[in-house]
């Protein structure tokens, strides 16, 4: 899909496309799914940009 857009960009001008799979996950949902698959807890903790920079 992305290659086609780049090759024929004028045909796609002003359009928006979802570049994700059939289901979109939030970070907490993704961590919960990964936790289930791996069999141990993975916890998502939202961090401020200021705290991340430290």
């Amino acid at each position: 899909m992305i290659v086609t857009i780049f090759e024929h960009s004028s045909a796609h001008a002003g359009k928006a496309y979802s570049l994700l799979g059939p289901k979109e996950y939030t970070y907490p949902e993704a961590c919960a799914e990964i936790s289930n698959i791996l069999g141990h807890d993975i916890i998502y903790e939202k961090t401020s940009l200021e705290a991340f920079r430290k």
Side-chain angles (χ1 to χ4, degrees):
M1 169 71 91
I2 295 172
V3 172
T4 302
I5 293 169
F6 285 134
E7 289 176 342
H8 308 284
S9 60
S10 62
H12 302 277
K15 295 183 180 177
Y17 299 96
S18 175
L19 299 179
L20 304 172
K23 180 167 174 32
E24 296 180 23
Y25 292 92
T26 63
Y27 288 119
E29 290 170 337
C31 288
E33 283 292 318
I34 295 167
S35 293
N36 288 333
I37 292 167
L38 297 178
H40 59 85
D41 289 341
I42 296 175
I43 299 169
Y44 169 73
E45 294 182 16
K46 188 173 182 176
T47 304
S48 69
L49 187 54
E50 183 180 320
F52 177 75
R53 287 181 176 154
K54 291 181 182 181

